[in-house]
Amino acid sequence: MERNDPCWCGSGKKYKKCHMPIEEKIKLHRDRGEIVPSRKLLKTPAQIEKIKKSAALNTAVLDEVAAHIRAGMSTAEIDKIVYDFTTAHGGIPAPLNYQGFPKSVCTSINNEVCHGIPDENIILQEGDIINVDVSTILDGYFSDASRMFMIGEVSDRAKRLVRVTEECVELGLAAAKPWGHLGDIADAINTHAQANGYSVVVDIGGHGIGLEFHEDPFVSYVTPKGSEMLLVPGMMFTIEPMINEGSPDFFVDEDNDWTIYTIDDGLSAQIEYMVLVKEDGIEILTK
């Protein structure tokens, strides 16, 4: 683009006053051999505004789940809460019928790493830990987040895993800085998990989001500091490490082809935030 052309992002500013300095800086990093995002991974101001509305609804859905989740309820009841609240507020549950997924939310209990399918026969018990993963489409824009819930009085073992998972996410957020790298986030998370005797699932990670449910980049949580894609203002992705008690390995339920379990029957926990890279830091959009 020419310096005085209107910027491609639709901000109404001239290119030289908007994305030109950012793209010149990206080129410097690219010339050093670093992985850099394409222009299509940088959300425009108009897109960000719409995605934030989706994110606000997604957070409200999780708040609604938090207000009702309890021992004795089925995971199908959680699914109904998510579907009813989302649709009543003009949204669509993104998981519903996504690549054949049959429900509106993922509910993963104890040794389930992720993608647990709600079922009227799965009843929450005192002492369970459960990840509720909510994803929302509002006016065509996507958002995503998950929370861990401890049902009643849980074991010290389970409490510790959930606490360390929370700490891993917070450390990952602190390591996420504009013009840093995705590997900085991964290193902070993996280092803390291993220091506490846990492992991080390798083959499942975070993802870009906003215009689609899953976009580039893939966000690993086991790569070295300073590696992976450059973090550029306008990028949007999830931070959602899966922390296992024992082995990071897993297997997929052969009956439903969705639910993922720890290979050694150990507990697993996951917390997911959705973030936006800005020029002055990271903004949390969902949690």
Side-chain angles (χ1 to χ4, degrees):
M1 299 189 70
E2 297 297 326
R3 293 169 53 85
N4 290 312
D5 288 345
C7 189
W8 59 264
C9 74
S11 65
K13 300 177 183 177
K14 292 182 178 180
Y15 180 54
K16 66 182 180 182
K17 295 290 187 180
C18 194
H19 271 86
M20 184 176 171
I22 291 173
E23 294 191 335
E24 287 179 337
K25 197 167 183 178
I26 290 173
K27 184 179 184 301
L28 289 175
H29 286 269
R30 184 177 63 240
D31 290 347
R32 295 174 191 158
E34 299 178 37
I35 302 169
V36 300
S38 63
R39 185 179 283 178
K40 71 178 184 179
L41 295 188
L42 307 183
K43 303 300 189 287
T44 69
Q47 290 168 345
I48 290 169
E49 182 180 351
K50 293 286 189 180
I51 294 166
K52 283 184 175 182
K53 291 178 181 178
S54 176
L57 176 54
N58 199 82
T59 298
V61 174
L62 275 165
D63 289 343
E64 185 73 4
V65 171
H68 294 91
I69 196 167
R70 68 189 188 285
M73 77 184 304
S74 71
T75 53
E77 290 177 74
I78 298 173
D79 183 73
K80 187 175 188 304
I81 290 170
V82 170
Y83 180 84
D84 289 350
F85 191 92
T86 304
T87 56
H89 290 80
I92 301 169
L96 186 61
N97 299 318
Y98 176 75
Q99 296 184 353
F101 191 81
K103 298 293 182 178
S104 297
V105 64
C106 296
T107 50
S108 306
I109 303 173
N110 297 332
N111 66 336
E112 296 174 352
V113 178
C114 60
H115 301 163
I117 299 176
D119 191 299
E120 62 184 9
N121 296 313
I122 299 176
I123 309 300
L124 294 182
Q125 307 291 331
E126 182 95 2
D128 283 341
I129 59 172
I130 178 173
N131 177 267
V132 178
D133 191 347
V134 170
S135 310
T136 302
I137 310 169
L138 183 66
D139 297 328
Y141 294 89
F142 291 78
S143 53
D144 198 3
S146 77
R147 296 182 193 173
M148 289 299 300
F149 295 97
M150 293 183 283
I151 306 302
E153 186 60 36
V154 306
S155 66
D156 289 341
R157 162 192 170 199
K159 286 179 184 176
R160 181 173 183 271
L161 176 64
V162 173
R163 175 178 58 79
V164 171
T165 301
E166 291 171 346
E167 292 169 354
C168 283
V169 174
E170 291 299 324
L171 288 167
L173 288 165
K177 300 181 187 303
W179 308 109
H181 296 82
L182 284 173
D184 303 343
I185 301 170
D187 179 73
I189 288 169
N190 198 26
T191 297
H192 190 67
Q194 291 192 0
N196 283 276
Y198 299 131
S199 65
V200 180
V201 173
V202 176
D203 295 326
I204 310 172
H207 53 90
I209 188 169
L211 307 184
E212 299 177 18
F213 196 171
H214 296 95
E215 304 173 12
D216 289 334
F218 173 77
V219 183
S220 171
Y221 303 111
V222 295
T223 49
K225 187 174 182 178
S227 69
E228 301 296 329
M229 188 175 284
L230 185 72
L231 299 178
V232 174
M235 287 178 65
M236 195 177 285
F237 54 88
T238 63
I239 297 177
E240 50 173 317
M242 300 168 195
I243 311 298
N244 288 358
E245 271 191 315
S247 170
D249 296 332
F250 58 83
F251 68 93
V252 181
D253 190 321
E254 61 182 19
D255 291 328
N256 65 40
D257 204 32
W258 276 103
T259 307
I260 293 176
Y261 296 88
T262 56
I263 198 74
D264 53 12
D265 204 37
L267 296 176
S268 184
Q270 178 194 22
I271 294 169
E272 177 180 12
Y273 286 9
M274 174 179 165
V275 301
L276 169 67
V277 182
K278 302 175 70 175
E279 293 186 26
D280 59 352
I282 299 294
E283 181 177 354
I284 297 170
L285 303 181
T286 64
K287 61 189 225 179

